[in-house]
Structures are given as C-alpha cells and as structure tokens.
C-alpha cells in the first residue's frame, strides 16, 4: 500500500495520469475492437438484421451487468478515499460487500430476463423482423452476463489498487477469445446468431473469472475473508450512494435505447436501427483514449482528495481536460474525412452505406468539446460527491438527449434523431463547466 500511496501522492501528475490512462486505454481499445469485429462478423456473415438484433440485445445485458459496474465504481471510489485516509481495513470490508452485492443482483435479474425473454426483447425495440434473430442471441448471451457483472465490478477496484496493467489484461483476454470464437462458431461451424452469442458469453466468463481470480490471489492488496462478505448496512449505503450514479446512468442509457430504437423504427426502418448499431460501436472505438484518460483520472483524483492534497487534484483535473480535448479534436478530424470508410468496414449493404456516413458525422458534431463534460462529471464521482456527479452524468443521456429524440423527429424526421446528440453534448458541456468552476474555486490546501 505504501508504494501505491507514494506514487499517487508524489509522482508528477502528467506522468502518473499517463501511467494510469495508457493501460486503461489499451484495454478499452481491445474491448472496443472486439465489439467492432463482432459486429463486422455478424454484419458480413449473417446480415443487416443481425446487426439490428445485437443493437437491441446488448443493452439488456449491459443494463444487468451495469449493477456490477455501479458496485465496482462506487466501491472503488470508497476504497480510493479509504486508502488515501489510511483506512485499509475499511477498504477490505468494502471489497467483500461488493462481491456479495454483485452475486445477488445479477443472478436475480438474469433469471427474470430468461423467464420473460420475449417481453424484454420487445420492450428494448425488437420490432418487425428483428425479434427472430434476437431470440437465439439473447438466450445464450444472458447466461454469461453474471460473469460480465463480476468483470465490471472488479476492474475499477484493480485500478483503485494501482494495478492498471492487470485491468488492461482483464479486457484484452476476453476480446481475443471472442474474436477467435466468432470465427469458429459463425464462419466455420455456421451457428449463426447462436454462435455469435455463445462466443460473447464465453468471453464474458473469461473476463469475469480472470478478475475474480486476481482479486482473490496473493497479487491483490485486498485480502478477502468470509466475514467481509456479510453485507453491512453502512458500507452498502456508501457504495450505493456513489454507485447509484453509474447505475442511474446505465439505466438511463437503457431508457434511451428503448426510446431510440422505437424512434428509429418509426421514422426509418430496421436498417435505421442497424445504422445506430454501427455508430454505437464506432463511438466506443474512436473515443477509447478519452475514456482511458477518464479511467486513469478517477483513482488519482480520489486518492489525493482523500489525502487533502487539493493542488494535485486541480492539477490532474486540468491535465485530464487538456489531454482529452486534444484527442477529441483529432477524433473529429478523422470522423469528418473517413465516415464512409468507417461504414464500409461493417457492411456492403447499399441502404446502410447510404444512411450511415451522414448519421455518423451529424451525431459526432460536438466531439471537440465533450472531453470536459466526461472528465468534469467523473471528478465529482471520484471525490465522493454523489449528487452533482449524478446530475452531470444524466445531462447528456437523459435530461437533454431523451426529450430531443422525442421532439425533434416530429419536425425533422430521422435527421432530428441524429442532431439530438450534438445539441445535448454542447448543452451538457456548458452546464458541467459551471459546476466544475464553482467546485474548484472552493478547494484550498
């Protein structure tokens, strides 16, 4: 623990941020490549409806596993603050409670989804001809979701412990497994959507088991004991307070997905749902370095805030914003010039090639400005301030975006849906700037 404390509290912030961010970025890159390749395989070897089907199904699995993510991020923030205040025993108890909470919640939700599978799929937008390919994919992928929940719970803890390389490996292993298994199950064996789902489900298991194995091994600084698995009200409350931010965000994403899929189908067709499936995959891929900076920023800000080293907190906030904005400008330039080529990687379908490039460019118009919103919202979560973190997190994906998606298409049709994204991003960035500026002015060493 002393070595971690020395690095987080004394090492040059820019170097420390890169040290934390680069492994996180690589892990996210590999994971996003995995999702892109998965979509490419499905689109090229199965068809347009298959892309639409996974666009409907994957948010369901991520909603369930996001409980693990919420428990992981909420708990890792508590762990970072505890370690910064030299409360090692509390950090261990938090970890034990995270394991118990993740197990209970994921098993209950997966069981409900299997019992009401068709109703759940229709709720998330499996309209028209999308339901048929979605069912076999859903039935197999949902079995692997508890493992994904463990992975999402454990990955932020590993970073909070100052082990970003292991967090990176945890994302690389399932990505490699999924790509290899996709080729075998879809191309070689011809198992279609069932094969695509089986490959993804096995990949989830690889990731979850690796992370749990690491956290329970001698390499981890958090030694688990059976007594720590017993849920403690005060700890659950603290995890929930901060984790609810992530859970509400993911829940909002699910509500957004439902509204978005229905709107895309209403003002377009099944192909329009597939268009957003491609955009969604691209977003994760092209923004991987920015997401990596946010992930690297969290444990540094949390630890130094807990240690009352406020100058370092300001320093890492400014550095993360600077690096993130530079990356976002380069990302937008690439999108502006290569949107057609990005689409052609996924499909040779004429309808998708006609719709998708313009939709990509329109959706990402505000890219140069969003790094500040992402880092700013994460700052409040890192320092344990749940309320502003929740508000800022909801801005883009709920308070602004959902109403625009409902209203703008009434006047502008399908284009109104795509323009909803940059408008929401810009408004959210302005509000985040006001919140962060006020908060930073109150920090005194």
């Amino acid at each position: 623990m002393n070595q971690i404390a020395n690095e987080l509290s004394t090492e040059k912030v820019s170097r420390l941020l890169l040290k934390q961010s680069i492994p996180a970025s690589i892990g996210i890159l590999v994971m996003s490549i995995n999702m892109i390749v998965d979509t490419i395989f499905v689109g090229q070897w199965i068809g347009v409806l298959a892309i639409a089907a996974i666009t409907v199904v994957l948010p369901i699995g991520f909603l369930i596993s996001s409980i693990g993510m919420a428990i992981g991020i909420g708990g890792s923030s508590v762990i970072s603050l505890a370690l910064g205040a030299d409360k090692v025993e509390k950090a261990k108890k938090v970890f034990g409670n995270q394991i118990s909470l993740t197990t209970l919640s994921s098993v209950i939700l997966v069981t409900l989804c299997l019992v009401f599978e068709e109703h759940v799929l229709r709720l998330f937008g499996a309209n028209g001809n999308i339901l048929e390919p979605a069912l076999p994919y859903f039935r197999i992928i949902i079995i692997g979701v508890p493992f994904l929940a463990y992975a999402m719970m454990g990955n932020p803890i590993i970073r909070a412990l100052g082990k970003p390389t292991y967090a990176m490996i945890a994302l690389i292993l399932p990505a490699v497994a999924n790509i290899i298994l996709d080729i075998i199950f879809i191309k070689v064996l011809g198992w279609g959507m069932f094969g695509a789902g089986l490959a993804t489900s096995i990949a989830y298991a690889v990731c979850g088991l690796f992370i749990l194995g690491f956290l329970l091994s001698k390499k981890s600084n958090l030694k688990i004991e059976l007594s720590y698995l017993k849920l403690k009200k005060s700890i659950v409350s603290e995890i929930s307070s901060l984790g609810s931010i992530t859970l509400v965000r993911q829940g909002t994403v699910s509500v957004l997905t439902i509204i978005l899929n229905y709107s895309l189908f209403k003002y377009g067709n099944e192909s329009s749902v597939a268009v957003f499936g491609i955009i969604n995959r691209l977003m994760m891929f092209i923004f991987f370095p920015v997401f990596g900076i946010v992930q690297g920023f969290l444990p540094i800000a949390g630890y130094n805030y807990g240690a009352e080293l406020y100058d370092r907190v300001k320093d890492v906030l400014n550095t993360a914003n600077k690096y993130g904005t530079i990356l976002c400008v380069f990302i937008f330039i690439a999108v502006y010039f290569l949107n057609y080529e990005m689409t052609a990687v996924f499909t040779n379908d004429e309808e998708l090639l006609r719709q998708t490039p313009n939709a990509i460019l329109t959706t990402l118009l505000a890219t140069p400005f969003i790094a500040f919103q992402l880092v700013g919202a994460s700052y409040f979560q890192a320092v344990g301030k749940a309320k502003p973190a929740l508000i800022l997190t909801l801005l883009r994906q709920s308070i602004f975006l959902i109403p625009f998606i409902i209203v703008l298409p009434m006047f502008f049709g399908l284009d109104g849906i795509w323009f909803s994204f940059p408008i929401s991003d810009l408004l959210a960035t302005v509000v985040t700037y006001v919140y962060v500026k006020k908060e930073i002015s109150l920090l005194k060493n």
Side-chain angles (χ1 to χ4, degrees):
M1 294 290 183
N2 289 334
Q3 182 181 355
I4 299 171
N6 185 60
E7 289 182 356
L8 293 176
S9 60
T10 61
E11 189 169 347
K12 186 178 179 181
V13 165
S14 58
R15 186 183 301 116
L16 182 60
L17 182 61
L18 289 176
K19 184 185 293 186
Q20 290 283 338
S21 300
I22 289 175
S25 297
I26 293 172
I28 294 169
L29 170 62
V30 175
M31 185 171 65
S32 60
I33 289 175
N34 166 38
M35 294 181 69
I36 281 185
V37 171
D38 197 40
T39 306
I40 291 171
F41 289 164
V42 166
Q44 297 285 358
W45 296 338
I46 304 178
V48 174
L49 284 176
I51 297 178
I54 64 174
T55 302
V56 169
V57 172
L58 286 181
I60 303 172
F62 280 120
L63 173 61
I64 299 171
S65 60
S66 68
I67 294 179
M69 182 192 298
I71 295 167
I73 292 179
S76 67
S77 295
V78 178
I79 289 172
S80 290
L81 292 168
L83 293 178
D86 200 27
K87 297 178 181 179
V88 178
E89 189 69 15
K90 179 180 178 180
K92 293 178 181 179
K93 291 178 180 178
V94 171
F95 173 48
N97 274 231
Q98 286 178 288
I99 292 177
S100 298
L101 285 171
T102 303
T103 302
L104 288 171
S105 56
S106 61
V107 170
I108 291 171
L109 288 174
V110 166
T111 302
L112 290 173
C113 280
L114 288 172
V115 173
F116 301 103
E117 58 179 24
E118 191 167 324
H119 297 286
V120 172
L121 286 170
R122 290 190 183 279
L123 176 64
F124 275 79
N127 300 301
N129 297 319
I130 299 175
L131 181 63
E132 184 179 349
L135 274 170
Y137 187 75
F138 177 76
R139 286 168 180 162
I140 189 65
I141 203 174
I142 203 72
I143 297 173
V145 165
F147 293 103
L148 180 61
Y150 284 125
M152 289 185 166
M153 179 274 291
N155 206 279
I157 300 174
I158 294 176
R159 285 193 296 271
L161 292 174
K163 305 282 187 178
T165 302
Y166 285 97
M168 175 188 71
I169 294 171
L171 296 177
I172 292 176
L173 287 177
V176 173
N178 195 19
I179 291 171
I180 294 173
L181 293 175
D182 264 338
I183 296 172
I184 296 172
F185 293 160
I186 303 175
K187 184 68 173 178
V188 178
L189 298 178
W191 287 355
M193 291 301 290
F194 171 81
L198 182 60
T200 302
S201 200
I202 293 174
Y204 289 165
V206 169
C207 186
L209 292 174
F210 173 83
I211 286 179
L212 279 180
F214 170 81
L215 290 173
L216 298 174
S217 72
K218 294 180 179 179
K219 297 176 183 178
S220 171
N221 294 312
L222 294 177
K223 305 306 178 185
I224 192 67
E225 297 178 12
L226 287 177
S227 61
Y228 296 157
L229 296 174
K230 184 178 179 181
L231 295 177
K232 189 176 180 181
K233 186 177 179 180
S234 60
I235 291 178
V236 172
S237 177
E238 199 169 359
I239 293 173
S240 300
S241 175
L242 296 174
S244 61
I245 301 163
T246 299
L247 186 58
V248 171
R249 181 179 65 226
Q250 293 304 118
T252 302
V253 169
S254 296
V255 173
L256 171 63
T257 300
I258 293 170
I259 295 172
L260 185 56
N261 285 342
Y262 273 102
S263 297
L264 289 169
F265 189 77
K266 178 181 179 180
Y267 295 99
N269 49 34
E270 288 93 342
S271 293
S272 302
V273 178
V275 169
F276 184 71
I278 292 173
I279 293 173
N280 203 26
R281 299 299 175 278
L282 279 174
M283 281 182 178
M284 187 169 186
F285 174 69
I286 63 180
F287 286 116
F288 80 89
V290 184
F291 293 147
I293 286 174
V294 173
Q295 294 297 332
F297 163 81
L298 283 168
I300 304 171
Y303 184 94
N304 285 283
Y305 191 90
E308 298 184 357
L309 299 173
Y310 298 131
D311 280 343
R312 287 180 63 80
V313 174
K314 296 176 186 177
D315 194 1
V316 71
L317 179 63
N318 291 332
T319 304
N321 279 323
K322 180 177 70 175
Y323 289 174
T325 299
I326 292 171
L327 288 169
C328 281
V329 170
F330 281 107
I331 289 168
F332 180 74
I333 293 171
V335 169
Y336 184 84
F337 288 105
L338 300 173
N339 51 75
Y340 182 87
E341 287 76 10
M342 291 175 178
T343 304
V345 171
F346 290 91
T347 182
N348 54 15
D349 180 82
E350 291 184 5
E351 180 67 12
L352 289 188
L353 289 172
R354 182 184 67 81
Q355 286 193 46
T356 309
N358 183 63
I360 292 173
L361 183 58
T362 304
T363 302
L364 298 176
L365 280 175
T367 294
F369 308 100
I370 65 171
F372 192 92
Q373 206 282 328
L374 295 172
V375 174
S378 298
Y379 164 81
F380 289 98
Q381 189 165 353
V383 302
K385 297 192 175 184
K387 185 177 179 179
L390 179 59
I391 293 172
L392 295 179
T393 297
L394 289 178
L395 285 178
R396 291 177 64 229
Q397 297 172 326
S398 175
I399 297 172
F400 293 138
L401 184 54
I402 290 177
F404 282 129
I405 286 176
I406 294 172
V407 174
L408 290 185
M410 296 178 184
F411 302 96
F412 305 105
L414 199 58
D415 286 340
I417 296 176
W418 306 132
F419 275 107
S420 299
F421 287 87
I423 294 172
S424 300
D425 286 338
L426 288 173
L427 290 174
T429 300
V430 171
V431 176
T432 301
Y433 174 80
V434 173
Y435 263 83
V436 173
K437 185 178 180 180
K438 181 179 179 181
E439 170 69 17
I440 292 303
S441 67
L442 299 175
L443 288 182
K444 295 179 181 179
N445 268 342

